[in-house]
Amino acid sequence: NIDVFVNEGYKAGASGVLTCFWDLSQTGLFSNMWYGAYYGADKSWNPTSDNTSFDVRYSAGALACDNTNFACAVQKLNELRLLELTDDMKDKFLFERLLPQKGKRFKVSVADLDKALIILDEAEALLKQANLQLYHKDEAYLQFAIDLYKHLCSKQQDPA
């Protein structure tokens, strides 16, 4: 969305871009938005910049890191949103009832469970190699997200 918005504005002669973020979840954790915030800022200042080098700029500028493993871990974790199991990575599974209401049913998906576990392991491996010099709480948050999804997957494997 940011790319299209910025490119259209640039073509139309816009003098700037205001990028807004809001969290539709009930958790209100802003840590998962920093990557997008930096991306929006980068595109605002450099509308014609090469997206393939953004992770290098983000890692060096925002995290004082000499590798892109943290950004790669974020992107890897985002692959979960494409799986039915995670329902577009919405946080509603945290607040769902454990049992359906009387006379009602609900669906528990185990589709792509093996794929989800592979994605989570790969994201965790990248995160462990990130070697951040700044913002260690963001690293801890990303590990928390990985652990949360691993727990969700384990409950799907063994619901007892």
Side-chain angles (χ1 to χ4, degrees):
N1 291 340
I2 292 172
D3 281 332
V4 172
F5 182 71
V6 170
N7 288 334
E8 293 298 317
Y10 182 72
K11 288 178 194 172
S15 59
V17 174
L18 176 63
T19 305
C20 300
F21 297 87
W22 56 91
D23 187 353
L24 298 176
S25 73
Q26 298 177 29
T27 56
L29 299 171
F30 193 78
S31 289
N32 63 344
M33 295 185 191
W34 280 120
Y35 183 84
Y38 277 96
Y39 186 77
D42 184 73
K43 291 306 281 186
S44 297
W45 287 103
N46 305 296
T48 60
S49 65
D50 177 11
N51 293 346
T52 59
S53 62
F54 169 73
D55 287 346
V56 173
R57 293 190 301 278
Y58 168 71
S59 299
L63 305 173
C65 191
D66 61 357
N67 65 60
T68 61
N69 289 330
F70 183 83
C72 290
V74 169
Q75 292 171 12
K76 179 55 71 176
L77 195 60
N78 276 333
E79 291 178 19
L80 289 176
R81 68 185 167 73
L82 303 174
L83 305 180
E84 181 182 334
L85 174 72
T86 64
D87 194 20
D88 199 29
M89 292 185 76
K90 295 181 180 103
D91 70 347
K92 72 179 188 178
F93 74 88
L94 295 172
F95 305 100
E96 287 288 334
R97 297 173 55 93
L98 294 176
L99 298 172
Q101 293 179 353
K102 186 175 181 179
K104 303 283 183 180
R105 293 191 227 171
F106 62 73
K107 177 182 170 187
V108 176
S109 175
V110 292
D112 297 323
L113 184 59
D114 292 336
K115 287 181 186 176
L117 291 169
I118 290 168
I119 290 169
L120 290 164
D121 286 344
E122 290 174 355
E124 188 169 41
L126 287 162
L127 183 60
K128 286 180 179 175
Q129 297 173 18
N131 193 29
L132 298 188
Q133 301 303 305
L134 299 172
Y135 302 114
H136 297 284
K137 287 184 180 181
D138 288 342
E139 189 174 13
Y141 169 79
L142 194 57
Q143 184 63 57
F144 169 74
I146 290 168
D147 291 343
L148 191 60
Y149 278 100
K150 281 187 171 189
H151 179 71
L152 172 66
C153 288
S154 73
K155 293 313 245 180
Q156 298 294 354
Q157 283 179 317
D158 181 18

